[in-house]
Amino acid sequence: MEQVAHSLGVDRRTVHRQLAEHGATFTTVLNDTRAELAVRLLESRRYSQTEIAELLSFSAPSNFSRWFRARFGCAPSRWPAP
């Protein structure tokens, strides 16, 4: 949130307020964006799971795997889901 606010040249409270006006939260936008990118990157088969975790700013590949399983119901290595 801090990086986004800084990049936009506004206070983080401004970002929070603008998102709230549109019925969104930073976490929701972040997770939706990560989900879209994760699927695209996995389907491209150009990147390893470790690289994808890094590209999506997860602190560790295991965190990416846990998040992905919670979001999609399968491990990233099993995508697309059977």
Side-chain angles (χ1 to χ4, degrees):
M1 176 82 125
E2 290 292 333
Q3 284 180 300
V4 170
H6 180 73
S7 294
L8 295 171
V10 298
D11 188 77
R12 65 187 203 102
R13 288 182 302 259
T14 302
V15 174
H16 177 76
R17 188 174 53 252
Q18 291 292 320
L19 288 171
E21 286 177 12
H22 290 89
T25 65
F26 182 77
T27 301
T28 301
V29 172
L30 176 63
N31 282 326
D32 289 349
T33 302
R34 279 178 162 171
E36 182 181 324
L37 290 171
V39 167
R40 266 198 251 163
L41 292 168
L42 285 168
E43 289 177 350
S44 78
R45 308 240 187 256
R46 284 184 56 193
Y47 302 97
S48 70
Q49 289 181 41
T50 299
E51 291 170 317
I52 293 171
E54 187 176 311
L55 288 167
L56 298 180
S57 297
F58 283 92
S59 58
S62 60
N63 292 340
F64 168 64
S65 292
R66 257 191 311 281
W67 171 85
F68 192 92
R69 184 180 299 276
R71 179 83 182 206
F72 294 102
C74 68
S77 60
R78 307 263 309 146
W79 187 261

